[in-house]
């Protein structure tokens, strides 16, 4: 949009811009800057307009974008232009991802490069490598406490290793996802060190206070994220003689985004990693970006403005690069991280679908889809050109973040139901074979989350230890069932490394002083590549899981209606053990696939009347696209075997 005030400012900025920048060929940069500047200016002004140095800061912002545009390698600029034309590229069902720690997966970045063939064998073409930036030797929250945003941690390798990996991945058409931890830094970061040494410029990069007055005000309304191992939201720093805000661990200092210098630094870092060849950046803990007294300090309006501004600026310099929002918050809140009142994503194109993840775990524990159905019914419709990141497990805990109203509508009492789930997954409930551990137990609120590897949570570890063939079989089926859901729901499925081999809990963290207080380490495995070879040996668990997932991925890629164009319809059926939804082609409604999941151990029946508007038994033979077989139908009833799924198409 053309608007005089912002345009005048833009002209002033362009006149002042450093000669070495203005001499470059900035054609594409200028067209994009012109297109986005009104929005950039409005957002920047809303956030920082009351400052005397506003115009200088705006100049620095534009210079930052220009400098990083100049640094952007030619092949990446070309990719920007290609993606501009093929703007729906990331909604395709062709993408299937995996998240991993480089050191747990294969020692380091070089190791990851040596194992690229593994991804291709399985069908993975998007790899999220969790934090690899420099972090402290001891406690670093798995790399989420960064001490240098522009260096690779020596334990992961070098910048050259990353560049080589990114090149090789691009040649193999595998997308690279990297983390940018935007909410906080490690206390060993140079900015924190400067703040500690008393430098007021850097103290203003964080929230620091001389006494408890302001912290105590904040604490009245702020929840605790790690109530057990890092209670409270502020830490006293002896050297600085001040309190500093530390929402996560006491060594993770929250950045102060009310300071434009912080915004510009972090934008520069985002663009820096975009220029190192990342296709997608995962922005960590974005719900926490703005702090306000009297609020929970999550999902604040300004946090959204910051993300919009990051997106608008990134579109000028590196428009082909997408953002993933890591906001593990209530469904009505998470949807806002795509941006509101828009068609295309105004903030992040992709967001973690923690709701679906937690609902799937509810269905596994209850053996029915009551809450799953209810929760999905309440999941707000998202923007058209934005997509979910669907996952079963990740490196974090499982939060039981359902809406209490949904729990009640599903027929349970919220407090007791959450307690049941916790007992179930920590193995305290009768008949539960799950081997999880509680995480983040809060004695004040009774809240808790769950840690544990997928295979151990679904009972595979128990079954193996007891050589219980029935349970081995059931837990393998459950692993496949859960993956069939994230592969068909609509969105980007993100596997978690090790799950494709049935990897169980790793208790070695209990012997590491820096990890023992944080049970999430039990599900952050080190891949045993000798054992992984068993994926080629029929009759092994590794083979059963890996080969089934491999087939599922291959089939997904062929089913075009699995692409995400908001083309899903939830179908409520009589039998509560079943979860049923249809996927269709918006422009060709006859092209459709019916997805049916049975969360119970026993076979369940589906009355064909329940799905009559979807799949008429007379219109053709229904065929399960995964197995190539027709399901059993008897007397107008379709039979779904225990812990199984169908992807039904018509033949
Ligand atoms: C994100 C990460 C989590 C980390 C937290 C703080 O939620 O996924 O592992 O503890 O941010 O950085
Ligand atoms: C909280 C945060 C989430 C983080 C998790 C780590 O749920 O909201 O961002 O991943 O804690 O345990």
């Amino acid at each position: 949009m053309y608007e005089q005030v912002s345009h005048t400012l833009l002209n002033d900025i362009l006149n002042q811009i450093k000669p070495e920048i203005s001499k470059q060929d900035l054609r594409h940069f200028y067209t994009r800057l012109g297109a986005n500047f009104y929005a950039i200016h409005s957002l920047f002004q809303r956030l920082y307009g009351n400052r005397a140095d506003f115009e200088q800061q705006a100049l620095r912002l534009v210079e930052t974008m220009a400098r990083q545009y100049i640094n952007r390698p030619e092949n990446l600029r070309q990719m920007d232009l290609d993606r501009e034309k093929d703007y729906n590229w990331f909604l395709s069902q062709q993408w299937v991802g995996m998240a991993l720690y480089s050191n747990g997966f294969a020692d380091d970045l070089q190791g990851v490069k040596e194992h690229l063939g593994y991804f291709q064998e399985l069908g993975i073409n998007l790899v999220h490598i969790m934090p690899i930036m420099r972090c402290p030797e001891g406690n670093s929250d798995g790399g989420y406490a960064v001490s240098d945003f522009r260096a690779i941690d020596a334990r992961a390798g070098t910048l050259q290793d990353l560049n080589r990996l990114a090149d090789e991945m691009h040649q193999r058409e595998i997308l690279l996802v990297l983390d940018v931890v935007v909410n906080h830094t490690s206390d060993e970061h140079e900015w924190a060190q400067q703040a500690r040494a008393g430098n007021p410029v850097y103290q203003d990069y964080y929230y620091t206070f001389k006494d408890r007055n302001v912290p105590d005000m904040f604490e009245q309304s702020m929840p605790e994220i790690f109530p057990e191992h890092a209670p409270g939201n502020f830490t006293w720093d002896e050297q600085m003689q001040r309190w500093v805000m530390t929402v996560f661990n006491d060594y993770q200092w929250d950045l102060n985004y009310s300071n434009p210098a912080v915004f510009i630094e972090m934008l520069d870092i985002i663009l820096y990693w975009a220029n190192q060849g990342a296709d997608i950046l995962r922005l960590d803990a974005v719900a926490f970006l703005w702090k306000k007294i009297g609020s929970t300090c999550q999902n604040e309006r300004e946090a959204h403005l910051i993300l919009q501004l990051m997106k608008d600026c990134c579109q000028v310099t590196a428009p082909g690069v997408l953002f993933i929002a890591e906001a593990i918050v209530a469904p009505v809140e998470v949807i806002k991280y795509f941006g509101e009142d828009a068609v295309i994503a105004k903030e992040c194109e992709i967001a973690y679908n923690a709701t679906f993840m937690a609902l799937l775990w509810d269905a596994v524990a209850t053996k029915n889809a009551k809450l799953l159905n209810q929760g999905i019914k309440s999941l707000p419709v998202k923007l058209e050109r934005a997509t979910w990141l669907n996952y079963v497990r990740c490196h974090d805990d499982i939060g039981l973040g359902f809406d209490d109203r949904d729990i009640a509508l599903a027929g349970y009492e919220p407090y007791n139901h959450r307690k049941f789930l916790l007992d179930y997954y920590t193995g305290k409930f009768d008949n539960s074979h799950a081997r999880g551990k509680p995480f983040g137990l809060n004695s004040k609120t009774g809240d808790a989350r769950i840690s544990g590897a997928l295979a151990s949570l679904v009972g595979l570890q128990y079954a193996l230890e007891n050589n219980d063939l029935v349970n081995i079989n059931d837990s393998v089926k459950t692993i496949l069932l859960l993956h069939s859901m994230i592969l068909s729901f609509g969105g980007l499925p993100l596997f978690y490394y090790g799950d494709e081999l049935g990897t169980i809990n790793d208790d070695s963290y209990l012997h590491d002083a820096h990890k023992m207080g944080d049970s999430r380490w039990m599900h952050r495995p080190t891949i045993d590549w000798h054992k992984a070879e068993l994926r080629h040996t029929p009759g092994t668990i590794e083979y059963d899981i890996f080969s089934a997932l491999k087939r599922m991925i291959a089939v997904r890629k062929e089913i075009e209606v699995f692409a995400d164009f908001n083309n899903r319809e939830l179908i409520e059926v009589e039998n509560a053990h079943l979860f049923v939804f249809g996927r269709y082609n918006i422009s060709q409604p006859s092209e459709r696939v019916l997805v049916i999941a049975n969360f119970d151990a026993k076979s369940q029946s589906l009355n064909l009347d329940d799905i009559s508007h979807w799949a008429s038994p007379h219109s053709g033979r229904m065929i399960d696209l995964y197995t190539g077989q027709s399901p059993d139908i008897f007397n107008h009833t379709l039979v779904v075997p225990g812990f199984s799924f169908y992807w039904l198409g018509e033949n």
Side-chain angles (χ1 to χ4, degrees), residues 10 26-37 69 81 84 315-316:
L10 179 58
L26 298 174
R27 186 164 56 98
H28 290 297
F29 174 78
Y30 283 138
T31 34
R32 292 180 197 136
L33 183 64
N36 272 12
F37 195 71
Y69 177 79
L81 299 176
E84 205 162 84
Q315 281 173 340
V316 173

mmCIF file with all atom_site columns, all heavy atoms in Angstrom, residues 10 26-37 69 81 84 315-316:
data_model
loop_
_atom_site.group_PDB
_atom_site.id
_atom_site.type_symbol
_atom_site.label_atom_id
_atom_site.label_alt_id
_atom_site.label_comp_id
_atom_site.label_asym_id
_atom_site.label_entity_id
_atom_site.label_seq_id
_atom_site.pdbx_PDB_ins_code
_atom_site.Cartn_x
_atom_site.Cartn_y
_atom_site.Cartn_z
_atom_site.occupancy
_atom_site.B_iso_or_equiv
_atom_site.pdbx_formal_charge
_atom_site.auth_seq_id
_atom_site.auth_comp_id
_atom_site.auth_asym_id
_atom_site.auth_atom_id
_atom_site.pdbx_PDB_model_num
ATOM 1   N N   . LEU A 1 10  ? 10.638 6.266   3.983   1.00 0.00 ? 10  LEU A N   1
ATOM 2   C CA  . LEU A 1 10  ? 11.409 5.330   3.167   1.00 0.00 ? 10  LEU A CA  1
ATOM 3   C C   . LEU A 1 10  ? 12.373 6.096   2.250   1.00 0.00 ? 10  LEU A C   1
ATOM 4   O O   . LEU A 1 10  ? 13.550 5.747   2.138   1.00 0.00 ? 10  LEU A O   1
ATOM 5   C CB  . LEU A 1 10  ? 10.462 4.431   2.345   1.00 0.00 ? 10  LEU A CB  1
ATOM 6   C CG  . LEU A 1 10  ? 11.149 3.418   1.441   1.00 0.00 ? 10  LEU A CG  1
ATOM 7   C CD1 . LEU A 1 10  ? 12.066 2.482   2.231   1.00 0.00 ? 10  LEU A CD1 1
ATOM 8   C CD2 . LEU A 1 10  ? 10.116 2.578   0.682   1.00 0.00 ? 10  LEU A CD2 1
ATOM 9   N N   . LEU A 1 26  ? 20.004 -3.851  -6.395  1.00 0.00 ? 26  LEU A N   1
ATOM 10  C CA  . LEU A 1 26  ? 19.021 -4.210  -5.379  1.00 0.00 ? 26  LEU A CA  1
ATOM 11  C C   . LEU A 1 26  ? 17.604 -4.233  -5.952  1.00 0.00 ? 26  LEU A C   1
ATOM 12  O O   . LEU A 1 26  ? 16.646 -3.967  -5.242  1.00 0.00 ? 26  LEU A O   1
ATOM 13  C CB  . LEU A 1 26  ? 19.086 -3.210  -4.211  1.00 0.00 ? 26  LEU A CB  1
ATOM 14  C CG  . LEU A 1 26  ? 20.404 -3.141  -3.447  1.00 0.00 ? 26  LEU A CG  1
ATOM 15  C CD1 . LEU A 1 26  ? 20.376 -2.016  -2.424  1.00 0.00 ? 26  LEU A CD1 1
ATOM 16  C CD2 . LEU A 1 26  ? 20.703 -4.452  -2.743  1.00 0.00 ? 26  LEU A CD2 1
ATOM 17  N N   . ARG A 1 27  ? 17.497 -4.549  -7.246  1.00 0.00 ? 27  ARG A N   1
ATOM 18  C CA  . ARG A 1 27  ? 16.190 -4.447  -7.902  1.00 0.00 ? 27  ARG A CA  1
ATOM 19  C C   . ARG A 1 27  ? 15.090 -5.207  -7.164  1.00 0.00 ? 27  ARG A C   1
ATOM 20  O O   . ARG A 1 27  ? 14.083 -4.639  -6.767  1.00 0.00 ? 27  ARG A O   1
ATOM 21  C CB  . ARG A 1 27  ? 16.321 -4.980  -9.337  1.00 0.00 ? 27  ARG A CB  1
ATOM 22  C CG  . ARG A 1 27  ? 15.080 -4.794  -10.179 1.00 0.00 ? 27  ARG A CG  1
ATOM 23  C CD  . ARG A 1 27  ? 15.441 -4.975  -11.644 1.00 0.00 ? 27  ARG A CD  1
ATOM 24  N NE  . ARG A 1 27  ? 16.067 -6.285  -11.862 1.00 0.00 ? 27  ARG A NE  1
ATOM 25  C CZ  . ARG A 1 27  ? 15.425 -7.358  -12.314 1.00 0.00 ? 27  ARG A CZ  1
ATOM 26  N NH1 . ARG A 1 27  ? 14.142 -7.283  -12.581 1.00 0.00 ? 27  ARG A NH1 1
ATOM 27  N NH2 . ARG A 1 27  ? 16.047 -8.505  -12.502 1.00 0.00 ? 27  ARG A NH2 1
ATOM 28  N N   . HIS A 1 28  ? 15.307 -6.520  -6.951  1.00 0.00 ? 28  HIS A N   1
ATOM 29  C CA  . HIS A 1 28  ? 14.269 -7.310  -6.285  1.00 0.00 ? 28  HIS A CA  1
ATOM 30  C C   . HIS A 1 28  ? 14.052 -6.835  -4.851  1.00 0.00 ? 28  HIS A C   1
ATOM 31  O O   . HIS A 1 28  ? 12.942 -6.818  -4.353  1.00 0.00 ? 28  HIS A O   1
ATOM 32  C CB  . HIS A 1 28  ? 14.630 -8.792  -6.285  1.00 0.00 ? 28  HIS A CB  1
ATOM 33  C CG  . HIS A 1 28  ? 14.556 -9.389  -7.652  1.00 0.00 ? 28  HIS A CG  1
ATOM 34  N ND1 . HIS A 1 28  ? 13.373 -9.453  -8.357  1.00 0.00 ? 28  HIS A ND1 1
ATOM 35  C CD2 . HIS A 1 28  ? 15.504 -9.935  -8.439  1.00 0.00 ? 28  HIS A CD2 1
ATOM 36  C CE1 . HIS A 1 28  ? 13.608 -10.019 -9.531  1.00 0.00 ? 28  HIS A CE1 1
ATOM 37  N NE2 . HIS A 1 28  ? 14.891 -10.321 -9.609  1.00 0.00 ? 28  HIS A NE2 1
ATOM 38  N N   . PHE A 1 29  ? 15.162 -6.456  -4.244  1.00 0.00 ? 29  PHE A N   1
ATOM 39  C CA  . PHE A 1 29  ? 15.058 -5.961  -2.864  1.00 0.00 ? 29  PHE A CA  1
ATOM 40  C C   . PHE A 1 29  ? 14.138 -4.740  -2.808  1.00 0.00 ? 29  PHE A C   1
ATOM 41  O O   . PHE A 1 29  ? 13.240 -4.649  -1.975  1.00 0.00 ? 29  PHE A O   1
ATOM 42  C CB  . PHE A 1 29  ? 16.459 -5.614  -2.346  1.00 0.00 ? 29  PHE A CB  1
ATOM 43  C CG  . PHE A 1 29  ? 16.450 -4.977  -0.992  1.00 0.00 ? 29  PHE A CG  1
ATOM 44  C CD1 . PHE A 1 29  ? 16.276 -5.745  0.149   1.00 0.00 ? 29  PHE A CD1 1
ATOM 45  C CD2 . PHE A 1 29  ? 16.591 -3.590  -0.846  1.00 0.00 ? 29  PHE A CD2 1
ATOM 46  C CE1 . PHE A 1 29  ? 16.247 -5.161  1.405   1.00 0.00 ? 29  PHE A CE1 1
ATOM 47  C CE2 . PHE A 1 29  ? 16.565 -3.006  0.412   1.00 0.00 ? 29  PHE A CE2 1
ATOM 48  C CZ  . PHE A 1 29  ? 16.386 -3.790  1.539   1.00 0.00 ? 29  PHE A CZ  1
ATOM 49  N N   . TYR A 1 30  ? 14.358 -3.797  -3.726  1.00 0.00 ? 30  TYR A N   1
ATOM 50  C CA  . TYR A 1 30  ? 13.550 -2.576  -3.694  1.00 0.00 ? 30  TYR A CA  1
ATOM 51  C C   . TYR A 1 30  ? 12.080 -2.838  -3.993  1.00 0.00 ? 30  TYR A C   1
ATOM 52  O O   . TYR A 1 30  ? 11.202 -2.238  -3.374  1.00 0.00 ? 30  TYR A O   1
ATOM 53  C CB  . TYR A 1 30  ? 14.106 -1.534  -4.665  1.00 0.00 ? 30  TYR A CB  1
ATOM 54  C CG  . TYR A 1 30  ? 15.338 -0.833  -4.132  1.00 0.00 ? 30  TYR A CG  1
ATOM 55  C CD1 . TYR A 1 30  ? 16.436 -0.581  -4.951  1.00 0.00 ? 30  TYR A CD1 1
ATOM 56  C CD2 . TYR A 1 30  ? 15.384 -0.413  -2.804  1.00 0.00 ? 30  TYR A CD2 1
ATOM 57  C CE1 . TYR A 1 30  ? 17.561 0.052   -4.461  1.00 0.00 ? 30  TYR A CE1 1
ATOM 58  C CE2 . TYR A 1 30  ? 16.506 0.216   -2.308  1.00 0.00 ? 30  TYR A CE2 1
ATOM 59  C CZ  . TYR A 1 30  ? 17.589 0.448   -3.128  1.00 0.00 ? 30  TYR A CZ  1
ATOM 60  O OH  . TYR A 1 30  ? 18.699 1.076   -2.630  1.00 0.00 ? 30  TYR A OH  1
ATOM 61  N N   . THR A 1 31  ? 11.780 -3.713  -4.931  1.00 0.00 ? 31  THR A N   1
ATOM 62  C CA  . THR A 1 31  ? 10.355 -3.957  -5.213  1.00 0.00 ? 31  THR A CA  1
ATOM 63  C C   . THR A 1 31  ? 9.686  -4.565  -3.987  1.00 0.00 ? 31  THR A C   1
ATOM 64  O O   . THR A 1 31  ? 8.581  -4.183  -3.618  1.00 0.00 ? 31  THR A O   1
ATOM 65  C CB  . THR A 1 31  ? 10.119 -4.891  -6.420  1.00 0.00 ? 31  THR A CB  1
ATOM 66  O OG1 . THR A 1 31  ? 11.146 -5.845  -6.472  1.00 0.00 ? 31  THR A OG1 1
ATOM 67  C CG2 . THR A 1 31  ? 9.975  -4.157  -7.713  1.00 0.00 ? 31  THR A CG2 1
ATOM 68  N N   . ARG A 1 32  ? 10.371 -5.484  -3.345  1.00 0.00 ? 32  ARG A N   1
ATOM 69  C CA  . ARG A 1 32  ? 9.756  -6.115  -2.171  1.00 0.00 ? 32  ARG A CA  1
ATOM 70  C C   . ARG A 1 32  ? 9.668  -5.134  -1.009  1.00 0.00 ? 32  ARG A C   1
ATOM 71  O O   . ARG A 1 32  ? 8.690  -5.113  -0.268  1.00 0.00 ? 32  ARG A O   1
ATOM 72  C CB  . ARG A 1 32  ? 10.560 -7.334  -1.746  1.00 0.00 ? 32  ARG A CB  1
ATOM 73  C CG  . ARG A 1 32  ? 10.474 -8.457  -2.757  1.00 0.00 ? 32  ARG A CG  1
ATOM 74  C CD  . ARG A 1 32  ? 11.297 -9.636  -2.260  1.00 0.00 ? 32  ARG A CD  1
ATOM 75  N NE  . ARG A 1 32  ? 11.566 -10.552 -3.331  1.00 0.00 ? 32  ARG A NE  1
ATOM 76  C CZ  . ARG A 1 32  ? 12.752 -11.118 -3.549  1.00 0.00 ? 32  ARG A CZ  1
ATOM 77  N NH1 . ARG A 1 32  ? 13.766 -10.856 -2.755  1.00 0.00 ? 32  ARG A NH1 1
ATOM 78  N NH2 . ARG A 1 32  ? 12.910 -11.950 -4.539  1.00 0.00 ? 32  ARG A NH2 1
ATOM 79  N N   . LEU A 1 33  ? 10.702 -4.320  -0.868  1.00 0.00 ? 33  LEU A N   1
ATOM 80  C CA  . LEU A 1 33  ? 10.673 -3.342  0.222   1.00 0.00 ? 33  LEU A CA  1
ATOM 81  C C   . LEU A 1 33  ? 9.512  -2.366  0.001   1.00 0.00 ? 33  LEU A C   1
ATOM 82  O O   . LEU A 1 33  ? 8.768  -2.034  0.924   1.00 0.00 ? 33  LEU A O   1
ATOM 83  C CB  . LEU A 1 33  ? 12.004 -2.581  0.284   1.00 0.00 ? 33  LEU A CB  1
ATOM 84  C CG  . LEU A 1 33  ? 12.133 -1.572  1.421   1.00 0.00 ? 33  LEU A CG  1
ATOM 85  C CD1 . LEU A 1 33  ? 12.079 -2.268  2.775   1.00 0.00 ? 33  LEU A CD1 1
ATOM 86  C CD2 . LEU A 1 33  ? 13.445 -0.785  1.307   1.00 0.00 ? 33  LEU A CD2 1
ATOM 87  N N   . GLY A 1 34  ? 9.336  -1.945  -1.247  1.00 0.00 ? 34  GLY A N   1
ATOM 88  C CA  . GLY A 1 34  ? 8.223  -1.043  -1.566  1.00 0.00 ? 34  GLY A CA  1
ATOM 89  C C   . GLY A 1 34  ? 6.895  -1.690  -1.221  1.00 0.00 ? 34  GLY A C   1
ATOM 90  O O   . GLY A 1 34  ? 6.007  -1.062  -0.649  1.00 0.00 ? 34  GLY A O   1
ATOM 91  N N   . ALA A 1 35  ? 6.763  -2.968  -1.548  1.00 0.00 ? 35  ALA A N   1
ATOM 92  C CA  . ALA A 1 35  ? 5.496  -3.664  -1.300  1.00 0.00 ? 35  ALA A CA  1
ATOM 93  C C   . ALA A 1 35  ? 5.219  -3.805  0.196   1.00 0.00 ? 35  ALA A C   1
ATOM 94  O O   . ALA A 1 35  ? 4.081  -3.717  0.637   1.00 0.00 ? 35  ALA A O   1
ATOM 95  C CB  . ALA A 1 35  ? 5.522  -5.040  -1.962  1.00 0.00 ? 35  ALA A CB  1
ATOM 96  N N   . ASN A 1 36  ? 6.254  -4.033  0.967   1.00 0.00 ? 36  ASN A N   1
ATOM 97  C CA  . ASN A 1 36  ? 6.042  -4.324  2.399   1.00 0.00 ? 36  ASN A CA  1
ATOM 98  C C   . ASN A 1 36  ? 6.284  -3.140  3.325   1.00 0.00 ? 36  ASN A C   1
ATOM 99  O O   . ASN A 1 36  ? 6.016  -3.235  4.512   1.00 0.00 ? 36  ASN A O   1
ATOM 100 C CB  . ASN A 1 36  ? 6.964  -5.480  2.847   1.00 0.00 ? 36  ASN A CB  1
ATOM 101 C CG  . ASN A 1 36  ? 6.315  -6.837  2.635   1.00 0.00 ? 36  ASN A CG  1
ATOM 102 O OD1 . ASN A 1 36  ? 5.292  -6.927  1.967   1.00 0.00 ? 36  ASN A OD1 1
ATOM 103 N ND2 . ASN A 1 36  ? 6.883  -7.877  3.213   1.00 0.00 ? 36  ASN A ND2 1
ATOM 104 N N   . PHE A 1 37  ? 6.796  -2.026  2.782   1.00 0.00 ? 37  PHE A N   1
ATOM 105 C CA  . PHE A 1 37  ? 7.254  -1.002  3.722   1.00 0.00 ? 37  PHE A CA  1
ATOM 106 C C   . PHE A 1 37  ? 6.139  -0.373  4.544   1.00 0.00 ? 37  PHE A C   1
ATOM 107 O O   . PHE A 1 37  ? 6.326  -0.057  5.718   1.00 0.00 ? 37  PHE A O   1
ATOM 108 C CB  . PHE A 1 37  ? 8.091  0.093   3.048   1.00 0.00 ? 37  PHE A CB  1
ATOM 109 C CG  . PHE A 1 37  ? 8.838  0.898   4.070   1.00 0.00 ? 37  PHE A CG  1
ATOM 110 C CD1 . PHE A 1 37  ? 9.914  0.342   4.756   1.00 0.00 ? 37  PHE A CD1 1
ATOM 111 C CD2 . PHE A 1 37  ? 8.424  2.183   4.419   1.00 0.00 ? 37  PHE A CD2 1
ATOM 112 C CE1 . PHE A 1 37  ? 10.571 1.042   5.757   1.00 0.00 ? 37  PHE A CE1 1
ATOM 113 C CE2 . PHE A 1 37  ? 9.088  2.889   5.423   1.00 0.00 ? 37  PHE A CE2 1
ATOM 114 C CZ  . PHE A 1 37  ? 10.165 2.318   6.081   1.00 0.00 ? 37  PHE A CZ  1
ATOM 115 N N   . TYR A 1 69  ? 20.462 -8.962  2.216   1.00 0.00 ? 69  TYR A N   1
ATOM 116 C CA  . TYR A 1 69  ? 20.077 -9.267  0.837   1.00 0.00 ? 69  TYR A CA  1
ATOM 117 C C   . TYR A 1 69  ? 21.335 -9.344  -0.033  1.00 0.00 ? 69  TYR A C   1
ATOM 118 O O   . TYR A 1 69  ? 21.495 -10.239 -0.856  1.00 0.00 ? 69  TYR A O   1
ATOM 119 C CB  . TYR A 1 69  ? 19.117 -8.203  0.286   1.00 0.00 ? 69  TYR A CB  1
ATOM 120 C CG  . TYR A 1 69  ? 18.763 -8.469  -1.152  1.00 0.00 ? 69  TYR A CG  1
ATOM 121 C CD1 . TYR A 1 69  ? 17.803 -9.439  -1.484  1.00 0.00 ? 69  TYR A CD1 1
ATOM 122 C CD2 . TYR A 1 69  ? 19.414 -7.806  -2.192  1.00 0.00 ? 69  TYR A CD2 1
ATOM 123 C CE1 . TYR A 1 69  ? 17.501 -9.726  -2.810  1.00 0.00 ? 69  TYR A CE1 1
ATOM 124 C CE2 . TYR A 1 69  ? 19.122 -8.086  -3.516  1.00 0.00 ? 69  TYR A CE2 1
ATOM 125 C CZ  . TYR A 1 69  ? 18.169 -9.040  -3.817  1.00 0.00 ? 69  TYR A CZ  1
ATOM 126 O OH  . TYR A 1 69  ? 17.875 -9.332  -5.127  1.00 0.00 ? 69  TYR A OH  1
ATOM 127 N N   . LEU A 1 81  ? 12.908 -16.689 -6.058  1.00 0.00 ? 81  LEU A N   1
ATOM 128 C CA  . LEU A 1 81  ? 12.067 -16.363 -7.216  1.00 0.00 ? 81  LEU A CA  1
ATOM 129 C C   . LEU A 1 81  ? 11.243 -17.580 -7.642  1.00 0.00 ? 81  LEU A C   1
ATOM 130 O O   . LEU A 1 81  ? 10.061 -17.453 -7.984  1.00 0.00 ? 81  LEU A O   1
ATOM 131 C CB  . LEU A 1 81  ? 12.933 -15.878 -8.388  1.00 0.00 ? 81  LEU A CB  1
ATOM 132 C CG  . LEU A 1 81  ? 13.738 -14.602 -8.102  1.00 0.00 ? 81  LEU A CG  1
ATOM 133 C CD1 . LEU A 1 81  ? 14.632 -14.250 -9.288  1.00 0.00 ? 81  LEU A CD1 1
ATOM 134 C CD2 . LEU A 1 81  ? 12.818 -13.424 -7.777  1.00 0.00 ? 81  LEU A CD2 1
ATOM 135 N N   . GLU A 1 84  ? 8.421  -18.022 -5.270  1.00 0.00 ? 84  GLU A N   1
ATOM 136 C CA  . GLU A 1 84  ? 7.435  -16.956 -5.441  1.00 0.00 ? 84  GLU A CA  1
ATOM 137 C C   . GLU A 1 84  ? 6.399  -17.394 -6.478  1.00 0.00 ? 84  GLU A C   1
ATOM 138 O O   . GLU A 1 84  ? 5.204  -17.182 -6.320  1.00 0.00 ? 84  GLU A O   1
ATOM 139 C CB  . GLU A 1 84  ? 8.174  -15.717 -5.935  1.00 0.00 ? 84  GLU A CB  1
ATOM 140 C CG  . GLU A 1 84  ? 7.533  -14.394 -5.634  1.00 0.00 ? 84  GLU A CG  1
ATOM 141 C CD  . GLU A 1 84  ? 8.583  -13.286 -5.772  1.00 0.00 ? 84  GLU A CD  1
ATOM 142 O OE1 . GLU A 1 84  ? 8.816  -12.805 -6.902  1.00 0.00 ? 84  GLU A OE1 1
ATOM 143 O OE2 . GLU A 1 84  ? 9.183  -12.926 -4.751  1.00 0.00 ? 84  GLU A OE2 1
ATOM 144 N N   . GLN A 1 315 ? 10.420 -11.392 4.217   1.00 0.00 ? 315 GLN A N   1
ATOM 145 C CA  . GLN A 1 315 ? 9.905  -11.447 2.837   1.00 0.00 ? 315 GLN A CA  1
ATOM 146 C C   . GLN A 1 315 ? 10.656 -10.489 1.918   1.00 0.00 ? 315 GLN A C   1
ATOM 147 O O   . GLN A 1 315 ? 10.723 -10.706 0.716   1.00 0.00 ? 315 GLN A O   1
ATOM 148 C CB  . GLN A 1 315 ? 8.412  -11.110 2.823   1.00 0.00 ? 315 GLN A CB  1
ATOM 149 C CG  . GLN A 1 315 ? 7.556  -12.287 3.238   1.00 0.00 ? 315 GLN A CG  1
ATOM 150 C CD  . GLN A 1 315 ? 6.097  -11.917 3.385   1.00 0.00 ? 315 GLN A CD  1
ATOM 151 O OE1 . GLN A 1 315 ? 5.746  -10.748 3.541   1.00 0.00 ? 315 GLN A OE1 1
ATOM 152 N NE2 . GLN A 1 315 ? 5.236  -12.912 3.340   1.00 0.00 ? 315 GLN A NE2 1
ATOM 153 N N   . VAL A 1 316 ? 11.202 -9.430  2.474   1.00 0.00 ? 316 VAL A N   1
ATOM 154 C CA  . VAL A 1 316 ? 11.944 -8.483  1.641   1.00 0.00 ? 316 VAL A CA  1
ATOM 155 C C   . VAL A 1 316 ? 13.295 -9.097  1.244   1.00 0.00 ? 316 VAL A C   1
ATOM 156 O O   . VAL A 1 316 ? 13.707 -9.041  0.093   1.00 0.00 ? 316 VAL A O   1
ATOM 157 C CB  . VAL A 1 316 ? 12.150 -7.152  2.397   1.00 0.00 ? 316 VAL A CB  1
ATOM 158 C CG1 . VAL A 1 316 ? 13.060 -6.226  1.605   1.00 0.00 ? 316 VAL A CG1 1
ATOM 159 C CG2 . VAL A 1 316 ? 10.806 -6.490  2.678   1.00 0.00 ? 316 VAL A CG2 1
#
